[in-house]
């Protein structure tokens, strides 16, 4: 007679009914028989092999831990350096724009106009000072050396003024070209 228990566990076919009943009533006997079954042994063997495989994997992972921590620290350091360099890059770009702005055509034209106006003001101030000196001299006129010095200085100031005015006129006519190199 074949029962489902004997179909699943053919090792129990050799046991008598009394042995089976004893096994059910005695937990120690049941455990001894249970652990002697080939399927149970196979499960325990597979479990032990899996445990050893897990332990091997865990040991391998642990052996990689220090290099990974070092790599993480190196990566963080490289990332921080890159972030600092990026911030420095932005600062250098800003400084470069400021420097280049001082040499842009618009800025140079503005400086030329201001310097021409300042040169005109300086020559006019020199002429006014000479006239006032002559007028306040109590009737005395400046001697020839003072007049020669005034003429030379005034002429130099006006020469610079007219050069600047000439460059400004050329610029406004589009005759001044700036190279971008």
């Amino acid at each position: 007679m074949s029962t489902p228990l004997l179909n699943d566990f053919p090792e129990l076919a050799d046991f008598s009914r009394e042995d089976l009943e004893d096994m059910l009533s005695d937990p120690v006997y049941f455990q001894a028989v249970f652990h002697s079954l080939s399927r149970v042994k196979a499960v325990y063997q597979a479990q032990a092999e899996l445990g050893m495989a897990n332990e091997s994997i865990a040991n391998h992972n642990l052996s990689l831990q220090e290099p990974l921590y070092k790599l993480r620290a190196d990566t963080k350091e490289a990332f921080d350096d890159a972030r600092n360099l990026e911030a420095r890059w932005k600062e250098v770009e800003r400084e470069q724009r400021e420097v280049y702005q001082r040499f842009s055509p618009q800025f140079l034209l503005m400086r030329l106009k201001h310097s021409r106006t300042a040169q005109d003001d300086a020559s006019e101030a020199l002429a006014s000072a000479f006239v006032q000196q002559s007028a306040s001299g109590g009737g005395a006129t400046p001697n020839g050396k003072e007049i020669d010095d005034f003429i030379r200085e005034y002429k130099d100031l006006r020469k610079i003024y007219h050069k600047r005015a000439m460059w400004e006129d050329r610029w406004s006519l589009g005759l001044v070209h700036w190279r971008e190199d």
Side-chain angles (χ1 to χ4, degrees):
M1 159 163 61
S2 176
T3 65
L5 179 65
L6 295 179
N7 288 338
D8 290 339
F9 299 100
E11 297 93 350
L12 299 179
D14 296 334
F15 287 89
S16 67
R17 181 176 180 92
E18 291 157 359
D19 286 336
L20 292 175
E21 287 175 359
D22 287 343
M23 189 176 12
L24 289 175
S25 63
D26 185 359
V28 175
Y29 183 44
F30 176 82
Q31 289 295 322
V33 171
F34 178 76
H35 289 291
S36 70
L37 296 175
S38 60
R39 283 189 190 176
V40 174
K41 287 179 184 179
V43 167
Y44 282 138
Q45 179 63 32
Q47 188 178 27
E49 289 172 3
L50 286 175
M52 287 187 296
N54 282 343
E55 186 176 341
S56 174
I57 291 170
N59 288 333
H60 177 69
N61 287 345
L62 285 174
S63 72
L64 296 176
Q65 184 175 6
E66 282 306 313
L68 285 174
Y69 283 155
K70 174 146 180 33
L71 184 60
R72 179 188 293 170
D74 292 348
T75 303
K76 182 183 181 320
E77 183 180 331
F79 183 76
D80 291 344
D81 287 347
R83 208 173 332 146
N84 291 337
L85 289 172
E86 183 179 28
R88 176 69 181 129
W89 177 271
K90 289 178 183 179
E91 184 180 321
V92 167
E93 276 186 331
R94 181 187 52 77
E95 291 171 2
Q96 182 181 15
R97 277 193 306 276
E98 289 173 5
V99 167
Y100 283 166
Q101 182 180 0
R102 292 186 303 186
F103 298 104
S104 71
Q106 298 82 5
F107 187 77
L108 292 173
L109 177 60
M110 181 191 69
R111 284 186 55 202
L112 179 62
K113 288 179 178 185
H114 286 290
S115 67
R116 180 191 46 84
T117 302
Q119 193 69 26
D120 187 40
D121 293 345
S123 66
E124 291 302 317
L126 180 67
S128 294
F130 181 76
V131 169
Q132 284 182 359
Q133 176 190 357
S134 298
S136 68
T141 60
N143 64 33
K145 179 166 176 21
E146 290 175 352
I147 292 174
D148 288 342
D149 289 344
F150 164 73
I151 290 173
R152 184 181 36 74
E153 192 175 347
Y154 184 77
K155 185 177 163 185
D156 289 343
L157 288 173
R158 291 310 287 178
K159 184 163 110 181
I160 293 170
Y161 165 79
H162 285 294
K163 282 183 179 180
R164 291 177 181 170
M166 178 186 70
W167 278 109
E168 186 180 337
D169 290 343
R170 284 185 179 177
W171 198 320
S172 64
L173 293 172
L175 300 175
V176 175
H177 301 285
W178 293 96
R179 295 187 333 216
E180 294 295 325
D181 55 0

